[in-house]
Each structure stands twice: as C-alpha cells, then as structure tokens.
Amino acid sequence: MAEQRVLVVGGGLAGLAAAMKLAELDIAVDLMSLVPVKRSHSACAQGGINSVNDTTRQLGDSEYLHFDDTVYGGDFLQHQPPVKEMADWAPKIIDLMDRLGVPFNRTQEGYRDQRRFGGTLFKRTAFAGATTGQQLLYALDEQVRRQHAAGKVNIYEGWDYLGPIIDDDGRCRGATAQNLVTMEIRAFPADAVVLATGGCGLIFGRSTMSMACTGSAASRSVQYGAKYANGEFIQVHPTAIPGADKLRLMSESARGEGGRVWVPRTPQDTRAPKDIPESERYYFLEERYPKYGNLVPRDIATREIFNVCVNEGLSVEADKQCVYLDLTHIPREELDRKLGGILHIYEKFQGVDPRDQPMKIFPAVHYSMGGLWADYERTAAGGLMPGSPRNHQTNIPGLYAIGECDYQYHGGNRLGANSLLSCIFTGLFVGPCIETALKSLDASASDAQFDLLHRAERSKKEMEHKKLLEAPTGGENPYLIHQELGQEMTKAATVVRVNDQLTAAIEKVAELHERARKCSLSDTGVWTNQNVMFTKSLLDMFPLAKALLKGALARDECRGAHYKPAFDMPGVESTDPTERRQQAELWCDKFEEKNRKWLKTTIADFDSKGDPTLSYEDVDTSLIPPRPRLYGIVGGDIIESVWKERQVKKTESGAQGVEKPANGAAEVSRDPVPANK
Amino acid sequence: MTASSTKRESFDVRILRQAAPGEPSRWETFRIPYEPNLNVISVLQKIAAMARNAEGKETTPVAWDCNCLEEVCGACTMVINGRVRQSCSALVDRLLEEHEGEIELQPMTKFPVVRDLVVDRSRMFRALEKVKAWVPVDDYYDRGAGPRESQESQEERYPLSECMTCGCCVDACPQYSKVEVERRPNESIEEHQARQAEAEKSEFLGAAPISQAMLFNRHATGAMLADDRLNALSGPGGIQVCGNAQNCVAVCPKEIPLTTSIARAGRQTTVHAIKKIFDR
Amino acid sequence: MAGTEPSFFVRHEFLIRRLHSLTGIIFGGYVCVHLFVNASIVGGAQAFQKNVLAIHSMGGILPLVEWVFIFLPILFHMFVGIGITVGMIPNNKNYPYEANWRYTLQRATGLYLFLFILWHVFQTHGWFHFDWWLNVAERWGGAQFSPYNAASSIGLIMQNMLVSLLYALGVLAAAFHLFNGVWTAGITWGIWTRPHAQANALKVCLAASVLLGAVGLSAIWGARKIGSSEESIKQAEAIENEMYTVQVEAGLIPPTEHKRAHHADSDETPELTATPASDENPTHPSDED
Ligand SMILES: Cc1cc2nc3c(=O)[nH]c(=O)nc-3n(C[C@H](O)[C@H](O)[C@H](O)COP(=O)(O)OP(=O)(O)OC[C@H]3O[C@@H](n4cnc5c(N)ncnc54)[C@H](O)[C@@H]3O)c2cc1C
Ligand code: SF4
Ligand code: SF4
Ligand code: FES
C-alpha cells in the first residue's frame, strides 16, 4: 500500500489548523488553496476570539456558560454536543495560540487581556490589537511553513478545487483541482479530503467577505452528492461601508462611543449632510427605540436600517441605499483616542474624514452560518467522541468539512468572536478523527488500482473546461450576471424576508442560472485565464443560492438571522394582569409549537443540474432546552416567568417518570439562563 | 473630491500588459466612466466586465490579484503611478490628484510577471522559511499558556507581526533585484519552482524577512532558534546587502519599523559573528 | 547561476561588508586628521609646515603606518565599494525620499571619490617612492607635493583653477560620504536602532559633514592663497627651508631630498648632506599629500 495522504482544501484558520495537526500526527498532507494561505479571508477578522478564562471563571463564568451563550445566541438551531466540545476546548485553544506566539494584548502584569463582546456578560474575548484574525492566521501559517520545511506538508497555492473524486463504493479518494496560472488540471489522490474553504458571501455580490469567498468548493462538493445544511442562515452586519467593490466592516464601537444613525427626512436630499437642519433629520433608531437608541441589538439595528432604506425609500443615495452614522458631534480628540483605528479605515477607503462628515453606512452580508452538512459522534457526557472518524465527515465517506464552510456551530446566528474559535477548534479536532479513518482503510488512494478513477475524473474536468472555452461568442457576460445575482440575493434574502419576494427571486435566479450557462468568454486563452475561472465559480454560486432561497422560503418562522415579518411573534401588549398572563401563556404555546415545527436543520440535496430538494433533521438539544429569546420584546418579563414555570413543571414530571441521560443529567436540568441585558 | 473631479466624466487607465512570462510587454489604455470613491480594484473590475480598451477595441480582461479588499491580505500589490502599493486602498480621486487625467498601473518590478498585473511572490514566502520565522513549540497539545509578556514587549512585537508579505518593501528597495527563471517546455510547476528557488538562493532576503527574524528572536520560545536565524541573516543574501536607503520603511503600508528591525539585526549579527569567532 | 555554488564574495559577503564598513571608518578617521592638518595652511606656511614636519618625524615607520592604516584600508574600501555599487538599482524618481537620495548620493560620491583618490594620491604623493617610479610619475604630473616644502608645493598645485574645483568637489564628497557612512554604519552595527535615535544620529552626522566640508574647503582656500603669486610662494619656501634646516639639525626629522621641492631655479635651496640612515628606505612615501 502506498503512503496514505490527506488533502486539505483551504488555508484559512480551519485549514491551517488541520494541516498542522495532521502533520504532527505524521500524516502526509497536501494543503491546497486558491490564494496563498497567508492571504486567506481569516486575516480580515478584527474583534477577537472567545474563551472562558481565569478571570471570568472567578466571576461565575464556565465553559458551560460559554456553551449556553452560543446556543442561545444561535437560537438553538445547532446540535449541542459539538458546541459543548468547542466551549470546553476554547481555553486550551487560546493557550495554544499564545504558545505559538500570537501577540495577544497584555495586562500590566503580562497576562492576556480580554474584552467584552456581544451576547455575553463576561469579558471572554482575547484579542491582538485590531487584527486578531490576521494574527491567529499568521501563527498557524508559520507552523505550517515549519512543517513544510520539515517535509511534512506540501503546499499547493493558486489551485482551484474542482470537486471530489468518488469511487464506486461512494468513498472520496481525492479531488481534482486546476492551477490558476498554468490552467493545468490535476487529480490529487487522497485518502481523506478536508474542505476548509470558508463562507460564500460573493453570492450576494458584495459583502464584508473576501473575493475568494465564492462558496465554489462547497458547491462543487454538493454537486457530487454532499448535503448542504441551513443555507438560509446568513448573518448581516448592521454597519459596513459601501464600496463599489466591497462592503467593509465598520465596527459596532462607533455607536458604542455615541455615534448617531439618521437619514434625511426628504428622500435623497441633495444637500451636504451638515447643511441639513436637525428638524429635517430622521434619527429613526432613537425614535423607534427610545430606551436603547442607537445601541439596539445588532439584528434589530440591521432590520431597521434595511427597512428605512428599502421599504421607506429614505436611503441617502438612491441606488446605493445607505444611512448616515454621525460622529461629528463628538470632540476630535476623543474620537482619535477611542476610535482612531476604525476611523482610519473609513478615511483610507472613502477619502473623507469621519470627524468632519457623517459616515455613510449600510448593513452588509457578513457570515454564513449554514454550510456543508457534517456528522458527529456524541459521548454519553454530551460532548464529541475524540478520534471518531464520523466527526466532521460529510455524508460522503472520506470527505470532511470544517471551519466556516461547515454548518455545525453557530445555528441561526453567530456570536461575535466565536467563529475564529470554531475554525481553529474544528481544524485541530478533526486531525485525530482522520487518523482513525485512515487506519481503518486497507488501501491508499495513491495505489495503482485507483489510477483509472483519477484519470477519468481529470479528463472529465478537462472536457468541462474545454467546453467553457469553446462557448460561442456574443453570449452573456459573467461579470454582469454576477452583479445581477448579487442584487437579487441582497434584495430578497438578507435582512427582511418576504415569501412573495423569495418566490420571485427563486424564479429570477433560475433564469440567471440559465443565462449564466450561456456565458461567453472575453478571454479564451490557456494561461492565467481569470475570466474562465471566474465564470466557473459564478456557475457554482447558483446551487447554493437556490438552496438558500428555497430554504428561506420554506422556513415560515423567525429564527436568529432569518427574519420574516409575517411570522414574527409580537410581545404581550396588555396591561391587565390576567390578560397579560393569558397572552404570555399563548405566546409560550406558540413558541413551543414553532419549535416543534421548525427547530430543525434544513438539509439540501442537489440533483445533477444543481437544483436543491429540501429535507429536515431534528436538532440535538438534549443539553440545554430551547428557550425564547426575549431581548427587546414587549412584555418579555411575563413571558419569561411563564416559560420558567413550564420548565420547572417539565423537570419535575421528568424526575418522576422519564429516565434522564446518565451523564448529562445535571446539565440538562439546569435552569435556563436569563436573557442577557 | 475636488471640484474638478466631480465634473469629470471619464478618466484613462494605462496598464502595462504582458500575456505570459517571456512575452513582450505593452501598454494598453482603458477609458473608465468617472464615479466618486472608486478604488483601483473597482476600476479593474470594470475593465474585466467591459473587456474593451479606450479605442473601443475588444481585448482580454486584465489579470490581477486580490482577496481581502481592505489592505490586510497583501495580495493586490502593484505599481500605481510609479509607486508600489495596494490597489484596494488606492483611491482613484487621490490618484487623479497626483497625476491629472490618467492612472498608470504596472506589475511589481522585482518579481516574475505571471500575466499583466499578476506576479509570482513565492520568493518572499521562501525567504520566511530561510529565516525560520516561527515559534518552535514542542507540539500542538495543551501545555498551558505561552510565556508571560510585558505590555512593552507586546507593543514591540505586534507591529512587526502585522507584516502581510505584500512585497512593497522589497519592490522599492534599490538593493533587491529581480530573479526570474524561465520555464522550460514541458517542465512541471514543481520543477520550475525548484529551479527558481535555487536561482534566488543567495540573493537578498529583503526587509520583510529580516524584520520577521527579529520578531521571532524577541519571543521567549522563538528565541530558541535565534542562532539559526542569525546564521541565515549573515549568510548569502543576508542583512549585509542592505544599503540603508530606507525606502522599505517609507513604502510599507503597515508602517512597520523595518529600519529598526534592520538595525537590530545588525546588532545581533555583530554579536553573533564575534561569538562565533571565539566559539570556534 | 542556477545550481552553481555561490561565489567567494557571496559566501563571505557578511564579513566583507563588515570589513568594508570598518575600513571606511578607519580611513574616515584619517581623512578628518588630514583635512584639519591641511586647514592649518589658513594660518600661514609656517603653521602648516610645522604640522607636516611633526608627522614626518615618524621617519622610517611612516610608510608602514601609511600602508597599514591608510592605503590598504582605502583600497579595500574602494574596490569593495565599487562591487556594491554595481548591484544597485536606483529608483529616486519614483521614490524621492530623503533617505533614498542619500543612498544614491552615497554611491555617487563613492564613485567620484574612487577616481579622485586614485588621482589625488598620484598627483601629490605618487603612491610609491621608488626612484625610477618617481621620475616617471613626475613626468606625468604626479608626486608634486613636497612634504618639506608643504605649503609652497601645494600652493603651486592649487594654482590651477580646475584642479582646485575638482579638489573642492572631492572634499565635499568625502565629507558627505564619510558622515553619511558613519550614520549607516551605526545601523549596520546596530548602534542606533529606533527611528528617533536614527534621526538624532543623522542630525549629528550631517552637522559633522558640513563642518568637515568647511574645514576641507578652507584648506583649499588657504593653499590657493599661498599659490596666488610667485612672491607668496617664494616667501613660503623660504620659511619652509629654514624650518627644514632647523629640524634636521635638531635631529627631529631625517633629511630627505626627494621630500623637498626641486625647482629649476631652486639653486638657493640650502644643500644638506643626506645621512645614510634616511636613505636606507627604498620607498619614501610621505603623508601630507
Ligand atoms: C470583516 C470580518 C470580520 C470578522 N471578525 C471576526 C471576529 O472578530 N471574530 C470571529 O470569531 N470571527 C470573525 N469573522 C468571521 C471569521 O473571520 C471567518 O468565519 C473565518 O475566518 C473563516 O475561516 P475559514 O478557515 O473557515 O475560511 P477562510 O479564512 O475564509 O479561508 C478559506 C480558504 O479556502 C480557500 N478556498 C476557497 N475556495 C477554494 C477553492 N475553490 N479551491 C481551493 N481553495 C479554496 C481560500 O483560498 C482560503 O485559503 C469576521 C469575518 C469578517 C468578514
Ligand atoms: S514589511 Fe511592510 S511592505 Fe514589507 S512585506 Fe511586510 S507589510 Fe509589506
Ligand atoms: S533600508 Fe535596506 S532593505 Fe530597506 S530599502 Fe534600503 S536597502 Fe532595502
Ligand atoms: S486585496 Fe488584500 S491587500 Fe488589497
């Protein structure tokens, strides 16, 4: 048997962590990436990475609370064992990154400093300046370089993954990929293929994501039978800077320091913002949420900004749709001291000083919670079984998914600073799992018996490539189709979702897909042809876009980032105590009913044309029972007390009758943690 | 933002194009309808979409590299109006102020051109390997936290650690010269890269890897490889090639104190060389 | 290049470059002394001659000192410097930063100084003092400086306007090259590392180079003044000859004929019998050239 190898596709945090761990286990690794790994999208993350730490622990924090915050923030849509395992690993992961030399900010005494992030009461977030993602990425990149120097990892940068190679038994035996420079197509034999290819923001045209985040690798895998889960869950960040090429993130701290959001009352007022008098400004967040003002929670801010632009037509710019984020009332020195870093970004890219002029901002697609469906094996205690070959394996044996391109950790909504954690965690955790899987195989994908399989798959890809190059001229322009797709998706499937719009979008996207198939290329060359590579990734955006729209249309509820006004559950309005109680009971009934129906993972299977069929899978919520998210809801207090009573009753009856799981008992019976303030 | 630019209807972009390595290069001009707040990347995106030059003739889209579009990945570096920088953070309005009516784009000058504005910067990553720019931890298991570190030390390391290997510093360095090995017919990608690596073996490392060596020599565990790094820095192509033009520090988009790193490397290699004489 | 072992230069470049830096500093120290001594000519022929004679009181070991501390270091520095300069890719047009201009200027002045020093030493000192060579050199305009008639002979040389200009350029180039070099050496050896330390060091170095330049120019001015008329040359010569006689008689310097001026009309020069000791030296390099 020839040496067994693992192909890791993607060199962001997840892919690098996996490559280095596998190398440590003495497994031969081929690491492939579209961009040089050091230039992966993970470099963009600014905020930080979460874990319980010695100081929060003394304030009552625990791995369990981190776990709880994560599933609560995700609206209980994630299977709980992987999340629990991740929260348990978190402190160890920060320690490891610290050992690898990440320059985390320090306290005076020289310990790691932590800041507080959204969705928690504790200062759990370790950070390295304003570029935590970059610093973590570099630390892993350095280790992989070290392993490369030691001959344990081959690095293939500038290769585009084209799809898995699957043998007759349905097992993945490698992958095909194409070199971006020479256009060579090669088959990479591998006994396990790990996809760590990140998010799919480019489906929305412009997002806060990097240009390599096309989702093409995930899409190419689902076209070979892998399942895609929770595609409709896309996080939209309320404040980004609109650019012609990209939407750049503008941190929440601008509002934290007193920034005010407004639009002119006259649609598309042509006056300079400073010339618009106070009376003609509409501070819509302050008016609608007098209590929280500009600091309403992220999802609410996002929805309101979107609403004012799209539904009320009050956007500052007619075609661009944006609102003002105004800091000009704050003294310059104070701004420089507290917000210098982010103001610098705005200045650099907009060429305007936000200390003098209000910033123009807009919500922007930011993160894909959904992704490739992946399996896990649960322990009795409710965590993940270490070394189980099932962990993170897709439904195709031998094909694994980790990092942002899997769906497992963030449910309906991701908490800030949890994604970097999930990426590194999954990368490290999957190593021993793959080791076990390789040991159970009695052949190597590099054995001669698979030559034919690999060659056949390669010629298939070569044919497809040739066909694209030979497309007749005068057809569609891929760049323009991409723009249209982006507009369509942004309109229908971001902040606020309406079934009519989704239905229309499904039709429109199908039509765009047809047109995209008739793209003709302006470059038919055989050397560094970016035109054809772009067209390929464009074609592969459609299956995921379709799954996303279809999933969103089907899911008639509000959960996490998925918001349908028609299915919103208004709070308790009544002031009469008995009526209030009744309404609260009703609310809780409805909530339970909604969970029965929709607390399920959406799973998409694709046919040969890339059209999805949906099915649903139950979510493992055995550790923390789902509870309502009541942030900002009218009458939240009464709903909460009714809900708690119901829970107590349930546990009591459970104690008498139903047998509880042996190990998880203590945790399952925990009281729900009150809503965060 | 100036009055003249708001009235502007279009502007020209002159691009130095090259179809492939070894092919001749030529200038091609594109006319772009003016919009405020464009950056060079969005201009290139427009060119890709229209694939037509200023004379209205059909042409292939210009090839270029990018990823993050917010100046943290380093991918999109090119020579813009004569100066090397990131095209994602190069704003058209500013560039037109620098040079009225026209923007000039060229590939980086010190790296082999792959096509148009795409260059092969793998030499920079190989240089990082030469100076062992990593912390030699025992393993990736849980062994508690890393070494404690003062705020002062973190503030020294953090800026160095922001280097995105974009190559501006070496492109502007008058001591750094291009090494290009032409691909032989039927040569594999790996064989060609190996010959390229061999050819640049004793060429100048450049400011970025020198600075990275200093970054890791400053870390308590990283310093365990300090001697290896100093050997590399005083070997062929090492620190001695630097001529102190200090262009590197002037063009570095991350404002990394490269000349401080270079001087530190000077000091450490001095001590190291003297020690070596007596250790013989 | 591919596949071949790197050249000797490349393999030992670190050491060679450090020696280059070191020799530059050593020679620089000499240049300072040289220019300050020369500037004493502003105080008249006597002051200058006194300094020159003080140096020549070293007698027989002077050539050794010259070769070890001056000629060898500068020759090494010059030839390695040429090697370094060949590899540069100047880019001041696109990167018109101050430090980059100094970088280019350092190399430009280096190249000028290379030619200048070769010529200057030949013109004044002659490089070697074998008799046969001195005859040849003198015929080609070399070895024109007579240490025992220091002011008058240099005054004669400086009578030529073009020569004076080239010297002025040389002096300025040397002043810049030396102290900019000291500044870069401070980085090379890691003496000033932080930006503000480097900026401060630069200020000191530039001030020093302005000072040295001024000192050098004043020496040229002084020499030209002495050379401005037959009369003043004669006067200077008379003073020098008298000092020579006195010092030789006091045994402070060895009498050496070829270190004295030999004019066609120099018959009034007092004859002195050369002591055997002084002529044992096959070569008679002198310093103040
Ligand atoms: C602006 C911004 C700020 C953020 N801030 C934070 C934060 O503060 N905290 C936090 O926890 N999270 C944050 N996130 C989220 C987090 O950065 C990402 O979720 C995470 O970096 C994803 O890492 P990854 O390893 O899964 O993939 P990526 O880093 O996206 O890497 C994907 C890799 O796959 C490769 N690839 C892609 N397609 C192909 C293909 N077809 N063939 C070959 N290779 C391919 C790419 O080249 C790349 O190497 C932020 C995200 C954004 C956009
Ligand atoms: S040091 Fe600066 S210029 Fe050089 S590669 Fe790093 S970031 Fe770029
Ligand atoms: S200081 Fe050195 S490395 Fe920097 S530009 Fe100058 S010669 Fe190059
Ligand atoms: S695209 Fe990343 S730096 Fe410009």
Side-chain angles (χ1 to χ4, degrees), chain C residues 12 23 62-63 94 112 131 160 179 183 185 259 268 273:
Chain C
H12 300 284
T23 52
L62 186 58
N94 285 333
Y112 178 71
D131 286 337
N160 183 327
F179 283 105
W183 180 75
K259 290 188 181 180
E268 350 97 78
T273 36

Side-chain angles (χ1 to χ4, degrees), chain A residues 9-14 33-35 40-42 44-48 159-161 196-198 208 212 216-217 220 249 366-367 403-404 414 417-420 423:
Chain A
V9 184
L13 286 175
S33 170
L34 214 45
V35 298
S40 292
H41 169 62
S42 292
C44 289
Q46 302 165 351
W159 287 82
D160 193 1
Y161 165 87
T197 50
T208 62
S216 59
R220 287 164 195 170
L249 194 66
H366 184 57
Y367 186 85
E404 190 172 338
R414 171 183 71 98
N418 252 356
S419 169
L420 298 179
C423 289

Side-chain angles (χ1 to χ4, degrees), chain A residues 27 58 73 94 110 223 249 266 283 298 348 383 395 414 422 479 505 524 536 539 562 635 654:
Chain A
I27 294 171
Q58 294 169 59
I94 313 288
Q223 293 173 57
L249 194 66
T266 326
Y283 293 95
R298 224 182 237 193
K348 180 161 23 180
N395 54 307
R414 171 183 71 98
S422 65
Y479 303 99
T524 52
K536 281 187 190 183
L539 282 166
H562 173 74

Side-chain angles (χ1 to χ4, degrees), chain A residues 67-83 228-235 368-371 373-374 376 406-414 497 551-552 555 557-563 591 594-603 615-622 624-629:
Chain A
F67 164 41
D68 185 274
D69 279 341
T70 306
V71 292
Y72 179 72
D75 228 347
F76 296 90
L77 194 59
Q78 58 275 69
H79 294 301
Q80 294 180 355
V83 184
Y228 200 74
N230 287 343
E232 66 268 32
F233 287 91
I234 294 285
Q235 186 172 67
S368 28
M369 272 79 69
W373 182 89
Y376 66 92
D406 83 47
Y407 85 113
Q408 268 185 343
Y409 295 86
H410 308 291
N413 176 51
R414 171 183 71 98
R497 294 162 176 191
R555 189 176 280 277
E557 65 154 353
C558 297
R559 186 177 298 278
H562 173 74
Y563 177 71
F591 178 73
K594 168 179 114 101
N595 277 350
R596 251 192 306 280
K597 189 153 179 221
W598 287 115
L599 186 46
K600 289 191 164 68
T601 306
T602 313
I603 293 179
S615 59
Y616 293 87
E617 181 189 72
D618 281 334
V619 178
D620 179 347
T621 57
S622 59
I624 302 176
R627 60 180 188 272
R629 293 173 89 213

Side-chain angles (χ1 to χ4, degrees), chain B residues 88-104:
Chain B
C88 63
S89 54
L91 301 179
V92 166
D93 292 322
R94 295 271 168 83
L95 294 172
L96 291 175
E97 276 166 32
E98 257 175 48
H99 189 280
E100 185 50 43
E102 189 180 82
I103 294 173
E104 187 190 280

Side-chain angles (χ1 to χ4, degrees), chain B residues 163-169 208 252-254 256 258:
Chain B
C163 169
M164 53 185 182
T165 324
C166 67
C168 284
C169 53
C252 173
K254 298 282 135 187
I256 296 170
L258 291 169

Side-chain angles (χ1 to χ4, degrees), chain A residues 24 38-39 99 101 103 106 131 135 143 146-148 186 211-212 245-246 248 348 477 523 530, chain B residues 39 49 64 67-71 73 115 129 135 137 139-141 151 154 157-158 161 165 190:
Chain A
E24 177 177 271
K38 200 176 174 179
R39 310 199 192 290
R99 272 170 63 217
R106 297 283 158 172
T131 60
Q135 297 306 314
Q143 292 304 318
R146 177 183 172 207
Q147 302 293 354
H148 174 252
R186 225 186 250 183
M211 300 309 281
D245 52 337
K246 187 193 184 186
R248 298 180 178 89
K348 180 161 23 180
N477 181 330
D523 185 353
Q530 296 183 334
Chain B
N39 58 0
W64 86 97
N67 196 29
C68 72
L69 304 194
E70 51 190 63
E71 208 186 71
C73 80
R115 181 173 181 185
E129 207 163 302
V135 175
V137 291
D139 52 43
Y140 308 128
Y141 290 91
Q151 284 185 343
Q154 190 270 348
R157 286 203 304 125
Y158 176 68
S161 187
T165 324
E190 287 75 15

